[in-house]
Amino acid sequence: MLGLTTAALGMPALLTGCGGAAAPAGSASAPGRLRWVLGQNVPTLDVAKSAGAPIPLLALSHETLVRLDKDLSIVPVLAESWEQPTPTKLVYSLRQGVTFWDGTPLTAEDIAFSITRHLDPKVGSPIASLLSNYKAVEVTSPTELTITLSRPDPAAKYLTARCAVTPKAYSERLGDQLGMSGPEVKTIGTGPYLIKRFDSAAGIEYEANPSYWGAKPRYGSIAIDFVADANARQLAVRSGKVAGTMDVPVVAIQDWRRLPKTSIMSSPPLMSAFLALNVNRAPFDDIHVRRALAHAVDRDGFVKAFLHGDGAPARAVPPPAQWANLADEATVRRVYDSLPAYDFDLAKAKAELAKSKHAGGFSATVRFPDANPHLGKALVSLAQTVRTLGIQLTVQEAPMTDWRSQLMDHQHEMNIMILRPNYPDPADFLNLLLPSNAAAKGQYNIAEYRSTEVDELMAAQAAVEGERRVDAMATLLARVNEDLPYIPLWWEASSMALSDDFSYDGYSTLYYDQEWADNVRPRA
């Protein structure tokens, strides 16, 4: 999900974050009712306006053509089946007899609209760059949808899972109000749960959809509270008022593990933290400045001090775990070992800075979101380190909503980001961060990095399979590491806290690609 944890933007790569109300009252164990807590306010339920934040909520109420199962394999949802007859064509046979909550029949036109609106520049969808290879989305019969790609793209088969389906006529009537918070719910889906209330600052309530086409939902109702304060979330879980929470703060993971009657489940490291440097603005338009900063990053120290070992130092932006469907661990290790690396070495940092136009040092400001204090701690540590080089780095904390807005507006020359995956493929984050056509406000190429060669390498890795794709991806990553628009920091695991009164089947960082609430099961 484009998650800035935020990529995302969550989501998406989704951006993820925190905000919201006070600790919830009530009980997690009322018969037929699930109560949950998220450390993330959700400004809208429209992915075209906020890529990452709404996705875990829409996973319960809205559906897509396909989604991922707990093994991260693609399974059909609103598509009954799908095939890829050529490298540039995806054909979906659509499920029949599906209705929206209000009884309106789902049509192929609704699905096509829900995908193509993200491609409309007037909409300004943050996932537009993800779908940039979608040349055409056509209703080829009342029961068939065909997507034509501008070029081969291994990610294409995953990406419709980011396009929650809403009725075309209804969505067009609401316009910019689609998905917005208010006394009336301003969205409609086909999912197992229908939304009864949505308050962007407080939470969301669902009821089971009595006309759902699939298996009967596990719960009669679900309430999810948005609670910014980590201590309040911890208290809610410990007291039994909620069944659990996703995205346990890594800075407090040890405290959460000490909670009585609570289990912590962690995924492999699939999130990626990095610095984004605008290569068109001084001082970061100078490659020697970027290399100096890269050599001043103590990645091992960051992982030990701020992640408590729940992660790994990063050699590139994509985590190795994202290669699971492409190559074995030994092959992936060889690729990463071959990449240009910037070890923590202040002598090398000083030598690179001396080659730059800023040999005497420089000043810069970097902001981090209040939802991710470990990012702030890493920046403070970095600021102390680079002071010895004559670099004055001012670190500022910002409210998540302000930080996200300024980030996507490309207001600053230096940023820190953490993305969570959109799909299990090493091209995931790269498709957001690298394309030259994504170096615009509202898009994720925050570094405003434009390279015809890199665009060509992106296309080349997408056009091949197997070992040839592994080699092409290695060439691409090597070039990006040489140019350093992004400085990798660490790969981070995600964790879920769950009351011992419940179990959870198959937790993954990509939980939001599943009907995750039905995976939360009361113990007998």
Side-chain angles (χ1 to χ4, degrees):
M1 152 184 107
L2 290 177
L4 293 174
T5 78
T6 67
L9 133 56
M11 190 161 337
L14 312 167
L15 302 173
T16 66
C18 302
S27 170
S29 57
R33 179 174 174 83
L34 176 69
R35 196 167 194 96
W36 201 259
V37 63
L38 289 181
Q40 175 180 0
N41 71 336
V42 178
T44 174
L45 295 176
D46 184 5
V47 176
K49 299 189 186 76
S50 179
I55 290 174
L57 305 183
L58 296 177
L60 309 184
S61 56
H62 291 62
E63 292 180 308
T64 54
L65 279 172
V66 300
R67 67 166 187 256
L68 299 180
D69 64 12
K70 64 181 181 180
D71 298 316
L72 304 186
S73 298
I74 297 174
V75 294
V77 185
L78 294 179
E80 207 158 45
S81 63
W82 68 280
E83 61 177 349
Q84 189 166 6
T86 73
T88 58
K89 197 173 291 291
L90 298 163
V91 181
Y92 297 88
S93 296
L94 305 181
R95 192 176 299 279
Q96 299 302 291
V98 178
T99 62
F100 290 98
W101 309 331
D102 64 352
T104 302
L106 170 72
T107 69
E109 286 77 12
D110 295 322
I111 300 174
F113 164 81
S114 298
I115 298 171
T116 57
R117 66 187 294 257
H118 294 288
L119 303 174
D120 184 350
K122 295 179 182 178
V123 173
S125 172
I127 68 169
S129 62
L130 279 178
L131 304 175
S132 60
N133 290 324
Y134 279 25
K135 182 179 179 180
V137 181
E138 300 172 294
V139 176
T140 40
S141 86
T143 61
E144 185 179 88
L145 190 78
T146 299
I147 297 176
T148 303
L149 307 178
S150 57
R151 61 173 174 80
D153 184 356
K157 59 182 177 289
Y158 296 108
L159 296 179
T160 61
R162 284 289 153 266
C163 302
V165 174
T166 57
K168 178 181 179 181
Y170 172 90
S171 302
E172 290 179 332
R173 185 170 69 250
L174 262 65
D176 288 342
Q177 287 299 303
L178 180 67
M180 297 301 289
S181 175
E184 296 182 3
V185 175
K186 297 177 181 177
T187 188
I188 297 177
T190 62
Y193 296 94
L194 55 87
I195 299 171
K196 298 295 291 183
R197 181 184 69 87
F198 169 58
D199 183 327
S200 62
I204 189 168
E205 294 182 6
Y206 305 84
E207 284 185 1
N209 178 2
S211 60
Y212 184 54
W213 61 267
K216 181 180 178 181
R218 183 177 301 279
Y219 297 99
S221 64
I222 298 173
I224 301 175
D225 300 286
F226 307 153
V227 179
D229 184 82
N231 291 328
R233 292 200 303 278
Q234 193 176 104
L235 177 61
V237 174
R238 183 173 59 192
S239 67
K241 291 180 179 177
V242 301
T245 184
M246 303 292 189
D247 303 324
V248 172
V250 67
V251 292
I253 191 72
Q254 304 296 359
D255 292 337
W256 282 83
R257 285 176 174 149
R258 286 191 286 268
L259 287 182
K261 300 181 180 179
T262 303
S263 300
I264 303 297
M265 286 174 276
S266 297
S267 72
L270 276 167
M271 296 190 289
S272 182
F274 51 91
L275 298 175
L277 308 176
N278 192 308
V279 298
N280 297 310
R281 302 181 199 173
F284 302 113
D285 57 348
D286 190 319
I287 182 61
H288 298 292
V289 168
R290 301 199 297 272
R291 288 174 182 167
L293 198 59
H295 278 301
V297 173
D298 183 4
R299 296 168 182 80
D300 289 296
F302 288 173
V303 170
K304 291 175 183 176
F306 309 132
L307 275 69
H308 306 288
D310 275 17
R315 291 181 64 100
V317 171
Q322 278 197 309
W323 293 65
N325 292 340
L326 178 59
D328 59 39
E329 290 184 14
T331 299
V332 175
R333 193 177 306 114
R334 285 196 299 271
V335 169
Y336 281 77
D337 287 346
S338 72
L339 298 178
Y342 300 87
D343 53 314
F344 178 47
D345 189 322
L346 291 181
K348 291 181 181 178
K350 186 175 181 179
E352 285 290 347
L353 194 62
K355 298 176 186 177
S356 76
K357 300 174 184 177
H358 307 273
F362 59 86
S363 298
T365 298
V366 59
R367 291 156 56 93
F368 71 94
D370 56 3
N372 301 115
H374 63 312
L375 299 184
K377 290 181 178 181
L379 288 174
V380 169
S381 175
L382 178 62
Q384 293 171 345
T385 299
V386 299
R387 191 176 298 133
T388 63
L389 304 174
I391 299 173
Q392 300 300 315
L393 192 60
T394 300
V395 179
Q396 297 177 347
E397 182 180 43
M400 168 57 78
T401 52
D402 292 347
W403 173 84
R404 183 192 286 123
S405 174
Q406 292 185 19
L407 178 86
M408 298 306 293
D409 202 35
H410 297 207
Q411 291 189 18
H412 304 291
E413 68 274 8
M414 180 178 181
N415 294 278
I416 190 168
M417 301 170 64
I418 181 166
L419 292 179
R420 59 188 313 142
N422 294 292
Y423 49 88
D425 189 279
D428 179 6
F429 298 152
L430 305 183
N431 282 331
L432 292 171
L433 299 171
L434 298 183
S436 296
N437 62 10
K441 291 182 179 181
Q443 300 297 318
Y444 279 89
N445 186 342
I446 306 299
E448 297 189 353
Y449 173 61
R450 298 175 178 89
S451 167
T452 301
E453 181 183 347
V454 166
D455 289 341
E456 292 172 350
L457 289 171
M458 287 287 292
Q461 64 82 27
V464 293
E465 299 178 352
E467 292 183 7
R468 293 176 64 196
R469 184 164 183 241
V470 170
D471 292 342
M473 183 63 70
T475 301
L476 170 63
L477 292 178
R479 174 57 196 270
V480 174
N481 273 23
E482 289 170 359
D483 288 352
L484 277 180
Y486 304 99
I487 297 178
L489 299 177
W490 63 76
W491 302 309
E492 184 174 324
S494 67
S495 299
M496 176 181 73
L498 189 66
S499 163
D500 285 348
D501 292 331
F502 295 82
S503 63
Y504 191 95
D505 184 25
Y507 175 70
S508 163
T509 300
L510 286 157
Y511 70 87
Y512 40 78
D513 270 322
Q514 305 157 18
E515 292 170 8
W516 58 266
D518 280 11
N519 290 334
V520 180
R521 305 184 181 204
R523 295 187 187 275

